[in-house]
Amino acid sequence: MTDLESTKNGKHHDLVHHNNNDITESEPLTWRFWRKQRYIVVLLAFFGFFNVYSLRVNLSVAIVAMTENRTVVDGDGNVSYEQDFPWDSKQKGLILSSFFYGYILTQFLGGYIGTKIGGNLVFGTGIGSTAILTLLTPLAAKHSLEMFLAVRIIEGFFEGVTFPGIHAVWARWSPPLERSRMASIAFAGNYAGTVVAMPCSGFLATRYGWESVFYVFGAIGCVWYFIWLVFVRAGPELDRFCSKEECDYIQKTIGYTGSRNIKHPWKSIFTSAAFYAIMASHFSENWGFYTLLTQLPSFLKDTLNFDLGKTGILSAVPYLAMGILLAVSGYLADWLQVKGIWTTTQVRRNFNCGAFLAQTVFMMLTAYLLDPTWSVVSLTIAVGLGAFAWSGFAVNHLDIAPQHASVLMGIGNTFATIPGIVSPLLTGYVVVEQTSNEWRIIFFISAGIYLVGCVIYWFYCSGELQEWAKSPEQKAQEAEEKAQLQLTQTGGFVNAAAELKD
């Protein structure tokens, strides 16, 4: 549906309200979420992120099967060993990190294009293209290592637009007091995808061969892409399934003006301490996350001696905890703001830094314990509590600059993708003999980076709309309200003086 068509349907574009927290819907949000189109968008975004991470992590398990030494007994009873791909630890590190070479290139591009053509198209096309390339992965791997690396890099290129793209969607679909829960529920799809993909990849690789891992998840991604294109639009005013009342409510609360010609204040963005705090926090969270995402199956198999099937299941446990806690943390963050218990800044700071401190402690415990049971427990708690950090920094862009959120996410995620490249390579060089001491170094590094991110975010974060991010309409509205307030106060002083004179 075009903008002209949506205008004909009576949906508005020119609504700017300053006190947006006072606006309510005649039919409030209940457990029947499907009656609100914005939560249908959230649900489909959840499954979109499910595909984002299932397409990304399946290789972490599949590569174990691809390089596994298999015992072969010939007709004469002679025993030999064979493997499909004789890659060493450095080559495996290169393969696992190659995805991020493409991923880092399109973060800013995805955010910028998302503000121009709509985040729905950017988000959907990024995942759909990755799914198609995943179907081609077995063919590329069998062709050559170079072709395999090229396909993984191109997959990363397309997936790089997904996070900035979804922020462009939230900028037009999420009311301020629902941002935490909407974004957190959608982001929980990352960990649901990880939870399902890791054990399923282990099962598929063991039962049907490693090629089936890529065929199954690639096909699921293609189906999702078709559904997303049918049901989701860039904003509520363009969505035929969104009621006029819901559209008005969303646009009034976010102060949507209908303008697509958004000018980004680059100097203000790159001199904003609040933005740099988000970037530092995002980098820290991604370092620990990508380290475990790419290396946890190998750590469990090589150091703790779990078999491939059990490795896939146990690797998924920490992400199951995180997926569950994301929904809890998002709802709790919104509830604390609605009830006025904490300000937005306090919610972001306390959730984010509390999670980072806990992750620092449990990463250190993992490094010291290196025990089959307690290592899994410690890693589960460390990854699970990261859910509260995602209700901190991950939605903070929408607080400080909602109109520019997709661009901020693109810039920040570019920097935060560096761990995805460096961490697997570093692990490949440090963990050569697969000893406990080598893995201990990896966990120490992750714990230290969490702590640094915690300190920076605590001192410089903000949950308030930044002055440079206010639209001309918002500034005019504020100026008008300020003038009316001064006029009211002046009138009060005059009346009080007259009464004293009498």
Side-chain angles (χ1 to χ4, degrees), residues 195 296 313-323 376 379-381 383-384:
V195 167
L296 190 54
I313 296 171
L314 290 176
S315 296
V317 170
Y319 304 105
L320 175 62
M322 192 171 194
V376 173
L379 288 173
T380 299
I381 297 173
V383 174

Side-chain angles (χ1 to χ4, degrees), residues 375-395:
S375 289
V376 173
V377 170
S378 296
L379 288 173
T380 299
I381 297 173
V383 174
L385 291 177
F388 289 89
W390 277 85
S391 292
F393 77 86
V395 292

Side-chain angles (χ1 to χ4, degrees), residues 1 25 30 58 66 132 146 212 218 248 301 309 349 464:
M1 184 183 291
E25 286 182 286
T30 65
N58 52 19
M66 294 166 77
I132 294 170
E146 291 75 17
S212 63
D248 286 348
K301 183 177 184 296
R349 176 185 290 128
E464 305 305 318

Side-chain angles (χ1 to χ4, degrees), residues 115-188:
T115 63
K116 301 298 181 183
I117 68 172
N120 62 318
L121 293 177
V122 174
F123 182 72
T125 302
I127 299 172
S129 301
T130 305
I132 294 170
L133 288 166
T134 299
L135 294 173
L136 301 176
T137 298
L139 185 64
K142 292 175 182 178
H143 182 275
S144 65
L145 175 60
E146 291 75 17
M147 182 65 74
F148 186 27
L149 290 172
V151 169
R152 289 294 293 178
I153 291 170
I154 298 170
E155 284 182 24
F157 184 89
F158 281 106
E159 261 203 26
V161 304
T162 53
F163 276 92
I166 201 64
H167 267 59
V169 173
W170 300 145
R172 292 174 64 177
W173 276 99
S174 62
L177 294 180
E178 296 178 26
R179 282 175 183 158
S180 296
R181 82 188 79 169
M182 289 177 70
S184 296
I185 291 170
F187 289 150

Side-chain angles (χ1 to χ4, degrees), residues 8-51:
K8 289 178 179 179
N9 287 342
K11 295 182 179 181
H12 306 297
H13 297 268
D14 304 319
L15 301 163
V16 180
H17 292 256
H18 184 59
N19 297 320
N20 50 30
N21 291 349
D22 297 331
I23 301 168
T24 58
E25 286 182 286
S26 60
E27 182 185 352
L29 179 66
T30 65
W31 61 271
R32 291 179 291 185
F33 67 89
W34 56 86
R35 302 183 67 167
K36 304 292 184 183
Q37 180 62 16
R38 62 185 181 275
Y39 282 92
I40 298 297
V41 174
V42 170
L43 179 65
L44 290 175
F46 170 90
F47 286 112
F49 280 115
F50 176 97
N51 283 288

Side-chain angles (χ1 to χ4, degrees), residues 12-123:
H12 306 297
H13 297 268
D14 304 319
L15 301 163
V16 180
H17 292 256
H18 184 59
N19 297 320
N20 50 30
N21 291 349
D22 297 331
I23 301 168
T24 58
E25 286 182 286
S26 60
E27 182 185 352
L29 179 66
T30 65
W31 61 271
R32 291 179 291 185
F33 67 89
W34 56 86
R35 302 183 67 167
K36 304 292 184 183
Q37 180 62 16
R38 62 185 181 275
Y39 282 92
I40 298 297
V41 174
V42 170
L43 179 65
L44 290 175
F46 170 90
F47 286 112
F49 280 115
F50 176 97
N51 283 288
V52 166
Y53 270 72
S54 64
L55 294 172
R56 189 182 303 185
V57 307
N58 52 19
L59 180 61
S60 299
V61 177
I63 199 169
V64 178
M66 294 166 77
T67 58
E68 186 177 33
N69 276 316
R70 295 188 301 274
T71 303
V72 179
V73 181
D74 62 21
D76 298 327
N78 297 318
V79 178
S80 62
Y81 300 93
E82 68 175 15
Q83 58 184 159
D84 291 332
F85 303 96
W87 299 322
D88 59 28
S89 63
K90 293 178 183 178
Q91 288 175 314
K92 287 193 287 185
L94 178 62
I95 292 166
L96 291 170
S97 65
S98 61
F99 174 92
F100 299 101
Y101 297 153
Y103 189 76
I104 198 171
L105 296 175
T106 51
Q107 297 294 322
F108 172 75
L109 185 64
Y112 186 79
I113 295 176
T115 63
K116 301 298 181 183
I117 68 172
N120 62 318
L121 293 177
V122 174
F123 182 72

